[in-house]
Amino acid sequence: MSDYVAGMSSDAKNSPKRVVFVTRRTSAHVRSVDEEQVQTYPEALFRAALAVQVLVIALVLLSLLFNAPLEGIANPTVTPNPAKAPWYFLGLQEMLHYFPPIVAGVLIPTLLVVALVVIPYFNINIRPDGVFLKSRRRNLTVFYIVAASLSLFLWFFDVYVALAPTLMVAGFMLIAAFSAPQSPDRFRRYLVSRPVSWWIMTWFLLELAVLTVVGTFFRGPGWSWVLPWRS
Amino acid sequence: MRTPNKLWNSWRGLFRDPIRPFGISSALLLIVLAIAPAKNHFSEWRHYQRGYLKLIRNRPDALVLQRHFEPGIHQIWLPDLGVVDRCETCHLGLTETSLGDIRMQPWSRHPVIPHSMQQFGCVICHRGQGAATTVAAAHDSTLSPDEPILPARYDEASCGQCHHVALEGTPTLNQGREILARYGCVRCHAIKLPDGSAEQPTDEPPPLTHIADKTTREWIYAWLKDPKSYAASATMPNFLLSDDDARDISAFLIANSVAESGDTATLKVASATNADPAAGASLYGESFCASCHATQNAAGNLVGGDLGPELTAVGTKVKPEWLTAWLRDPKTYDGATSMPHYRFTDQQLALLSGFLESKTNSDLLANVHLDAATPEQLAHGKQLVEEYGCAACHEIRGVSRPDNYGPELSRVGSKPVAQLVFTTGMAETLPAYLSNKIERPRSFGPGLHMPQYTFTPAQVDALTTALLSLTDRSYTLPAKMRIAAVQQTAYEPAGRAGHLMTDLNCMACHRINGHGGDMAPDLTWEGSSVQKQWLDAFLKNPNTLRPALIRRMPRFNLTDEERATLTDYMMTVYQNPTIDRDAMPLRGYLPAMVEHGRELFYGKYACQSCHMVDPAQDKGYIGPPLSAVGSRLNAEWIFLWLKNPQQLRPGTIEPDRDMSDDDAHALTAFLMMQTGSGNKGAGK
Amino acid sequence: MQPRTEATLGRLMASRLWKSIFRSGRGTSTLHRSMAIQQSVFLHILPAKVRRRMLNFDATWYLGTLTLGTFLVLVITGILLMFYYHPSVPQAYADMKDLRYVVSSGLFLRNLHRWSAHAMVLLAFAHMFRVFYRGAYRPPREFNWVVGVILLLITLLLSYTGYLLPWDQLAFWAITVGSNISSAVPIVGQKIHFLMLGGNQVNANALLRFYVLHCVILPLAAVLFIAVHFWRIRKDGGLYVQQSEPAKGAGEARVSTEDSAQEAVAKP
């Protein structure tokens, strides 16, 4: 049952062993095996410390070379144009440009947080197989409807900034839908095997990145388009 | 592709055996962490402190200077004034009296100023960022609330933040403020002062309600096109109007004018036309018109005062009938004018208006030919009058005075550079912006209405200085530091005499009880000061008291009754309650006392260096001559004046000699003996 | 030099003083190394042993570790900055100037705090996406994912509250823009806005509120949830490693292509 060897200075493997009770109806089938383990100290701790140190060195160098911004003293009577939120909220501020505050400022962030929280609790997110591999017809129909209505919605409200990543993801999904799992192309094989949760998250990541970059670098006075390299 | 891959692999390799990389990264981390303190050690201000020590090392006064020197950051911290000035960290020699020979910044000595640096700091006067300890940030930062260093030629602006009264040491600032008031700047641009008052205009733009009575459309046209072509000293700016615009505005003003029956008069005085042509000129001189009005002489120089308009070519401008009526009683045409009501006879009126009408400039209207205006042109003229804010200065029938026509300038001296729009090729600083705006207002973009003034560079600097004194700081500094400008009271003399004084516009030149001009003596205590007989005689024929002055009291041709009214009123009302003017007699002083006073006058107090008692002998001309003072002033006044002149007339330059009562008595006795040419030798 | 240093170190670690501080004592045996973890109040939240595969850089990119690293840098620099900072108007802005021009290395301190804060937000997002794409959120780790989302929100709030503290134009208007959004919440929007700022607009009260949130409440909450996060990593079966990945250096580990969700590894 156990191969424990008592002794204070033993270097022998002393990992606990698994015990399996096999009932009559099932046959024994080993799904996972013990794998090599190492001591947290020093193996993990030193690696972690190394990673952190490299990061800190980078941050220290950054701090030596670039000064944190400091503008004039706060003045409620002088509004800078544009007044921008911190960069990680600029995606939301970009949305605020298209939708009323109740939608862009309250509804979207709330939905986002809720969506993030429930991710591990939905079976669909757990399923690891490619979205168009099982029940292909139904999934294709759902995909067409969702992609078209989302695109139309964004197009209707002139949200081209958010429309572009949507169309991009939809395009890749189309490629995935019409590629064989054994396609000779590696990239296609990769796309085919992506589950639905992967596609949704990728769409979200793209939207977040594009909106944030646009809000940070491409928006000037009156939230109009500017080119960052031309100012 | 290979190199990044390789890099990536070696990066991953770090995590296979972390011990050695960990050692290296630890060492690296310590090194980079040490850079920050090292950077600190080589900071700019330490460099300047080392430089200072090197500078003073071999000087004879090195020991004293080294003892004064303390390493580290120095600061003047004045929470009341919002001052945290670390300028002295690098400017180490500011208060070292022995460093007068050092011209090298940042170590030179500060010139002597009336304020202590420890009480005011540096940025209140020089601007800049006091908290900074780097050269660039301390001098050039434009991030509000920091301001870049104020160029030295505008330094007087900083005095104006607290001193709203004219200072002797700030001629540029004083001149600038005068221009602000005199050229009508404050009629379009409101300037509120921290104490709640507002900068008041001192010009008198004439009302245009009855303009057609006074002048012709052609003259208005020429004037609008370029006021300077009519009068070199014109204060009206050039609006750079097109020919069509000037045509339409002149048409509108003439059409909009209503005739006033009292505005024109024709005289039938036969003798006037036959009179000596020089008679008009001599009447002009006798009436002291030149005290207020200037004319160009043959050499092209302006001669005369600037209180009224220049009269060089007045004949080209005004209609003879209007001029006659105006000279007879100016208040009919303009109730608010400063022009006094002379009591001219018809004969004199004819002479004077004839003389003035002969002053013409034939070139001015030679090329002005205007056709009758169409209704469209009239409408366009009115529109232009409204657009250009003419009614901000002039009263125009049917056009209401625009409120805040131009931007308010109350805090223009603190305007952040980020809020300014610069034209190309212009230094991007506030002083440069202001002086350019004054010199070339229309160059800042189309559609601007600010007119073109013709200021000399010195005037532009003065005006810029005055504008730069209007800062945010002047509002935030403690109120007790503020030295308010002298405010005009609402005093008006009462009764019949008061009516007469208003008619004669006495207050245009004299100040009484804090109201009126400052061109002539303050009359508040005139009744305590002078003798009644003298006053009556003076009003009848004002001979000049101070020959050194060009401006003189005009002769108003008052009737005996009017004179009596005025004299009685002044002798009764304008008395200082603490002075009994009859406390000392006018005559009958002991000769010994008079002689003692005489000795004091020429000896101990050396009064003759400023005053004259014997015009043949004495040379003093700074103060008024005293040869007839005994028949002008009361003895008690002279006594009190000698004891403490500033108490009777604040700001007088007469020195307070701290006299004993006996000395003052003796001097008074001596001065009372000086009763004019008839008694010339009385004191001797 | 090398052997002598080692000898000195060895003697030091064998001393009574050293032993009184570090209970695990000296030694390189598995037991000693396990005790080094178990006997330390800071480290005992970690398991004594971990699977070798999860130490590979490719497995995690060390994003979680790095996020923790920035948090530690922020705590240290933040405490130092607190020595120089007054949460009042306009002293807060003057303190920024003092940090910049007078305090020794004050500028560096502020720079490091600011850039680390940005890095932490960035790393927290990266960590989240990395965890998602590797499927590490799946049962039994679902609750730890939720804790992670909470930590992400705390990170954002920390950064946001800190953004106001310099009291410059950037800070004032960023917070004004951000806080105005809360007014859009139906019915209670205005109340939330008022509660958040201690007034109807960004003012001295807001500065004080944000200061307390930034320096006391949110860091405490962050520490609490970080502890839970780490504890749950251990209790939920250690860092997640996809079964499809070969165990480098662990030669005999076999590979199962089956769904890994059912994998269960009992830990001490």
Side-chain angles (χ1 to χ4, degrees):
Chain A
M1 186 175 158
S2 159
D3 55 358
Y4 255 114
V5 179
M8 285 302 282
S9 56
S10 163
D11 264 332
K13 278 190 171 183
N14 54 1
S15 302
K17 294 298 176 187
R18 245 163 282 246
V19 181
V20 180
F21 296 96
V22 185
T23 57
R24 240 174 293 158
R25 278 187 204 146
T26 49
S27 58
H29 171 52
V30 178
R31 303 175 93 167
S32 101
V33 288
D34 297 333
E35 55 173 283
E36 191 191 349
Q37 299 204 344
V38 291
Q39 295 291 328
T40 303
Y41 170 81
E43 302 280 347
L45 283 184
F46 271 86
R47 286 182 171 88
L50 172 65
V52 170
Q53 273 191 351
V54 171
L55 174 75
V56 172
I57 290 172
L59 287 172
V60 166
L61 288 176
L62 190 71
S63 307
L64 287 170
L65 293 176
F66 301 99
N67 284 343
L70 183 69
E71 296 195 353
I73 193 168
N75 186 351
T77 58
V78 179
T79 315
N81 193 357
K84 284 189 178 180
W87 62 269
Y88 39 83
F89 286 151
L90 285 182
L92 281 180
Q93 207 180 340
E94 177 73 25
M95 287 280 98
L96 213 53
H97 178 58
Y98 301 105
F99 301 110
I102 178 82
V103 175
V106 182
L107 215 57
I108 293 180
T110 313
L111 284 177
L112 270 181
V113 171
V114 170
L116 283 177
V117 165
V118 302
I119 280 177
Y121 295 98
F122 265 86
N123 266 344
I124 195 168
N125 295 328
I126 311 299
R127 201 173 297 146
D129 34 53
V131 58
F132 297 116
L133 291 183
K134 283 181 189 169
S135 49
R136 173 185 166 83
R137 272 185 72 101
R138 195 189 60 124
N139 285 0
L140 255 180
T141 318
V142 172
F143 161 66
Y144 284 142
I145 294 173
V146 170
S149 52
L150 191 64
S151 302
L152 276 174
F153 174 79
L154 292 174
W155 182 68
F156 182 74
F157 281 96
D158 298 333
V159 197
Y160 304 118
V161 177
L163 182 60
T166 309
L167 291 177
M168 225 168 99
V169 170
F172 281 119
M173 283 185 85
L174 275 177
I175 297 177
F178 295 100
S179 302
Q182 289 81 30
S183 167
D185 188 42
R186 246 181 86 189
F187 184 59
R188 283 186 164 219
R189 272 206 316 275
Y190 175 78
L191 287 182
V192 170
S193 65
R194 294 301 96 192
V196 63
S197 58
W198 188 93
W199 287 110
I200 295 175
M201 199 61 158
T202 305
W203 173 74
F204 170 58
L205 174 60
L206 262 177
E207 290 284 0
L208 194 66
V210 168
L211 288 175
T212 305
V213 166
V214 165
T216 309
F217 297 111
F218 293 90
R219 290 303 191 175
W223 215 251
S224 61
W225 279 97
V226 291
L227 299 175
W229 51 89
R230 219 189 282 165
S231 68
Chain B
M1 276 310 284
R2 279 193 67 101
T3 324
N5 250 337
K6 245 177 157 176
L7 251 172
W8 182 244
N9 279 332
S10 56
W11 171 249
R12 291 197 306 193
L14 286 186
F15 292 88
R16 263 174 225 140
D17 179 16
I19 302 297
R20 185 176 291 272
F22 177 76
I24 297 170
S25 83
S26 300
L28 257 174
L29 180 63
L30 287 178
I31 292 170
V32 292
L33 278 178
I35 296 177
K39 240 175 128 183
N40 210 46
H41 180 74
F42 293 105
S43 60
E44 271 180 7
W45 63 268
R46 283 190 211 271
H47 164 75
Y48 285 115
Q49 292 200 340
R50 282 191 289 268
Y52 177 72
L53 286 177
K54 216 159 147 193
L55 175 86
I56 61 175
R57 193 186 300 147
N58 292 320
R59 292 173 60 91
D61 50 355
L63 229 60
V64 183
L65 292 172
Q66 273 161 359
R67 204 162 48 232
H68 290 178
F69 173 80
E70 273 176 54
I73 288 180
H74 308 294
Q75 68 175 17
I76 301 174
W77 181 49
L78 305 166
D80 281 0
L81 312 186
V83 163
V84 183
D85 286 357
R86 306 195 169 116
C87 315
E88 285 183 310
T89 304
C90 299
H91 292 276
L92 287 155
L94 289 180
T95 52
E96 297 293 354
T97 39
S98 66
L99 284 182
D101 54 321
I102 300 291
R103 289 278 167 274
M104 204 195 323
Q105 288 292 15
W107 301 305
S108 68
R109 196 190 62 177
H110 196 282
V112 180
I113 45 163
H115 290 305
S116 141
M117 244 173 272
Q118 294 304 318
Q119 277 173 2
F120 290 86
C122 311
V123 293
I124 283 193
C125 297
H126 293 287
R127 306 198 180 181
Q129 188 185 180
T133 52
T134 59
V135 175
H139 299 87
D140 304 324
S141 170
T142 55
L143 281 180
S144 161
D146 312 332
E147 296 164 310
I149 290 287
L150 188 67
R153 62 210 266 231
Y154 303 115
D155 272 351
E156 286 175 21
S158 303
C159 310
Q161 295 176 110
C162 300
H163 295 273
H164 297 285
V165 72
L167 288 175
E168 214 178 304
T170 60
T172 313
L173 173 67
N174 302 348
Q175 189 194 2
R177 283 175 168 165
E178 232 174 83
I179 295 174
L180 272 181
R182 182 171 162 72
Y183 285 82
C185 307
V186 293
R187 290 187 183 273
C188 288
H189 303 278
I191 296 180
K192 296 191 190 105
L193 299 177
D195 59 3
S197 63
E199 202 77 66
Q200 293 299 331
T202 55
D203 59 339
E204 289 180 12
L208 306 182
T209 333
H210 318 300
I211 185 72
D213 295 349
K214 178 178 177 178
T215 186
T216 61
R217 185 180 162 201
E218 284 70 23
W219 181 84
I220 295 178
Y221 176 89
W223 170 258
L224 284 172
K225 285 292 290 178
D226 179 14
K228 297 269 173 195
S229 68
Y230 164 74
S233 68
T235 54
M236 164 111 168
N238 190 338
F239 283 81
L240 306 173
L241 297 167
S242 69
D243 289 356
D244 286 357
D245 286 355
R247 176 196 68 200
D248 296 350
I249 293 178
S250 63
F252 166 72
L253 289 177
I254 291 293
N256 194 43
S257 163
V258 281
E260 177 84 15
S261 55
D263 279 350
T264 51
T266 42
L267 299 168
K268 292 205 174 72
V269 186
S271 55
T273 43
N274 303 335
D276 178 9
S282 69
L283 182 59
Y284 183 85
E286 279 166 30
S287 306
F288 293 114
C289 302
S291 288
C292 297
H293 297 280
T295 49
Q296 231 170 51
N297 63 14
N301 296 323
L302 279 178
V303 180
D306 59 2
L307 205 61
E310 182 186 332
L311 300 180
T312 308
V314 68
T316 314
K317 173 186 177 183
V318 300
K319 298 178 175 171
E321 312 83 52
W322 176 87
L323 182 59
T324 312
W326 169 262
L327 289 171
R328 177 178 276 162
D329 184 2
K331 302 251 162 170
T332 315
Y333 181 77
D334 177 6
T337 182
S338 291
M339 171 93 171
H341 177 189
Y342 285 81
R343 272 77 173 147
F344 288 125
T345 61
D346 279 4
Q347 173 80 17
Q348 286 172 317
L349 281 176
L351 276 174
L352 201 52
S353 65
F355 168 71
L356 290 173
E357 281 297 336
S358 70
K359 296 176 139 329
T360 55
N361 173 359
S362 50
D363 298 341
L364 186 67
L365 305 180
N367 295 317
V368 182
H369 303 290
L370 296 168
D371 299 325
T374 63
E376 292 78 43
Q377 287 175 358
L378 287 176
H380 184 233
K382 179 167 188 184
Q383 189 197 330
L384 287 169
V385 162
E386 282 164 351
E387 259 172 38
Y388 282 99
C390 304
C393 295
H394 299 282
E395 190 187 330
I396 300 171
R397 204 170 57 90
V399 182
S400 54
R401 187 174 190 281
D403 285 326
N404 305 321
Y405 180 75
E408 186 178 329
L409 299 181
S410 305
R411 296 179 181 223
V412 72
S414 289
K415 210 160 179 188
V417 173
Q419 290 175 31
L420 304 176
V421 180
F422 296 99
T423 58
T424 45
M426 185 177 153
E428 299 205 345
T429 65
L430 180 63
Y433 171 82
L434 289 177
S435 53
N436 272 280
K437 197 91 185 165
I438 294 163
E439 277 183 304
R440 287 178 293 279
R442 296 285 177 87
S443 68
F444 283 78
L448 292 173
H449 289 152
M450 167 118 172
Q452 177 74 52
Y453 285 86
T454 22
F455 288 131
T456 63
Q459 280 177 313
V460 173
D461 272 1
L463 199 46
T464 308
T465 303
L467 290 175
L468 283 170
S469 77
L470 305 167
T471 60
D472 283 341
R473 188 173 268 121
S474 68
Y475 282 82
T476 54
L477 287 171
K480 64 175 193 293
M481 287 177 66
R482 220 170 278 145
I483 298 161
V486 181
Q487 290 293 317
Q488 291 271 328
T489 61
Y491 171 77
E492 288 291 343
R496 265 182 62 215
H499 198 261
L500 203 55
M501 284 164 78
T502 312
D503 198 36
L504 294 170
N505 270 336
C506 300
M507 317 283 250
C509 301
H510 295 280
R511 180 164 299 174
I512 303 171
N513 289 327
H515 177 64
D518 55 0
M519 201 165 104
D522 190 314
L523 299 181
T524 310
W525 294 337
E526 189 72 357
S528 301
S529 163
V530 301
Q531 300 172 23
K532 187 174 177 179
Q533 275 166 308
W534 174 85
L535 183 59
D536 189 66
F538 183 77
L539 286 173
K540 188 170 185 180
N541 185 14
N543 55 356
T544 179
L545 213 53
R546 291 167 178 247
L549 301 181
I550 303 167
R551 286 169 173 173
R552 297 174 183 188
M553 172 98 164
R555 189 164 63 190
F556 293 113
N557 307 316
L558 298 171
T559 62
D560 290 349
E561 194 210 335
E562 285 173 335
R563 262 200 341 270
T565 312
L566 269 182
T567 312
D568 284 345
Y569 186 82
M570 290 173 74
M571 291 308 290
T572 319
V573 178
Y574 296 147
Q575 286 201 63
N576 185 325
T578 63
I579 300 176
D580 175 9
R581 68 178 171 222
D582 301 321
M584 286 172 74
L586 295 180
R587 306 278 170 266
Y589 292 97
L590 293 172
M593 201 170 174
V594 172
E595 189 52 35
H596 180 48
R598 201 183 131 71
E599 280 160 14
L600 289 172
F601 188 92
Y602 286 105
K604 185 172 177 185
Y605 296 111
C607 308
Q608 77 278 12
S609 44
C610 294
H611 296 283
M612 277 185 270
V613 164
D614 178 4
Q617 184 189 335
D618 304 336
K619 297 279 181 277
Y621 59 90
I622 291 173
L626 302 177
S627 48
V629 68
S631 47
R632 179 163 71 91
L633 297 179
N634 290 311
E636 175 72 5
W637 177 271
I638 293 179
F639 175 76
L640 290 171
W641 177 266
L642 290 170
K643 289 287 292 177
N644 188 350
Q646 278 73 26
Q647 197 187 351
L648 295 181
R649 203 156 275 166
T652 178
I653 58 167
E654 170 92 30
D656 181 0
R657 310 294 292 269
D658 201 15
M659 267 181 216
S660 68
D661 282 6
D662 288 346
D663 283 4
H665 263 295
L667 268 173
T668 306
F670 169 66
L671 289 174
M672 288 312 288
M673 286 301 109
Q674 314 304 319
T675 54
S677 49
N679 299 320
K680 200 169 178 180
K684 296 199 174 172
Chain C
M1 274 313 281
Q2 194 81 15
R4 199 190 288 177
T5 320
E6 248 170 48
T8 321
L9 215 67
R11 228 175 303 129
L12 177 74
M13 287 171 76
S15 71
R16 212 175 137 191
L17 180 73
W18 183 274
K19 273 184 176 163
S20 71
I21 300 171
F22 300 100
R23 287 194 62 192
S24 55
R26 192 176 162 235
T28 53
S29 71
T30 309
L31 180 65
H32 273 108
R33 293 190 158 166
S34 301
M35 275 170 63
I37 299 292
Q38 288 162 0
Q39 306 289 338
S40 160
V41 67
F42 302 108
L43 298 177
H44 83 275
I45 202 163
L46 301 171
K49 283 188 163 193
V50 292
R51 269 168 292 169
R52 176 176 284 286
R53 280 204 294 159
M54 73 190 210
L55 297 181
N56 286 338
F57 184 77
D58 291 355
T60 58
W61 292 355
Y62 282 74
L63 286 169
T65 310
L66 293 178
T67 313
L68 178 71
T70 52
F71 182 72
L72 294 179
V73 171
L74 285 164
V75 168
I76 295 166
T77 53
I79 287 173
L80 291 175
L81 285 171
M82 277 170 78
F83 287 130
Y84 299 103
Y85 182 80
H86 306 76
S88 64
V89 178
Q91 187 56 41
Y93 183 73
D95 289 337
M96 294 302 115
K97 297 272 169 166
D98 282 2
L99 274 172
R100 172 157 204 166
Y101 295 117
V102 187
V103 177
S104 297
S105 300
L107 179 62
F108 168 72
L109 211 56
R110 193 168 101 80
N111 290 347
L112 189 56
H113 194 75
R114 182 115 179 172
W115 299 136
S116 298
H118 286 322
M120 184 172 172
V121 174
L122 203 67
L123 285 168
F125 269 109
H127 179 43
M128 184 188 82
F129 282 107
R130 183 76 190 151
V131 164
F132 178 86
Y133 281 124
R134 294 189 52 84
Y137 60 90
R138 290 172 187 164
R141 297 182 176 82
E142 63 263 59
F143 181 68
N144 216 13
W145 167 269
V146 175
V147 173
V149 172
I150 293 173
L151 276 170
L152 175 71
L153 294 180
I154 291 177
T155 305
L156 289 178
L157 282 176
L158 269 167
S159 174
Y160 185 67
T161 49
Y163 216 78
L164 180 65
L165 301 189
W167 200 248
D168 63 345
Q169 279 287 75
L170 206 62
F172 183 89
W173 290 101
I175 302 308
T176 301
V177 168
S179 63
N180 279 345
I181 294 176
S182 69
S183 317
V185 177
I187 307 164
V188 289
Q190 283 301 330
K191 298 271 180 213
I192 294 176
H193 187 243
F194 191 92
L195 188 71
M196 197 162 108
L197 299 181
N200 285 320
Q201 62 160 327
V202 179
N203 56 16
N205 290 346
L207 182 63
L208 189 60
R209 264 167 212 224
F210 275 46
Y211 176 73
V212 173
L213 284 172
H214 185 75
C215 298
V216 183
I217 297 172
L218 289 170
L220 284 179
V223 168
L224 187 74
F225 279 96
I226 289 171
V228 173
H229 204 55
F230 272 76
W231 183 247
R232 286 301 295 255
I233 294 173
R234 179 179 173 180
K235 289 290 135 186
D236 292 342
L239 284 184
Y240 173 81
V241 180
Q242 270 173 342
Q243 293 299 308
S244 55
E245 283 168 344
K248 277 173 199 148
E252 51 189 287
R254 268 167 285 158
V255 175
S256 160
T257 49
E258 288 293 307
D259 185 0
S260 57
Q262 305 303 320
E263 177 212 25
V265 178
K267 301 297 291 181

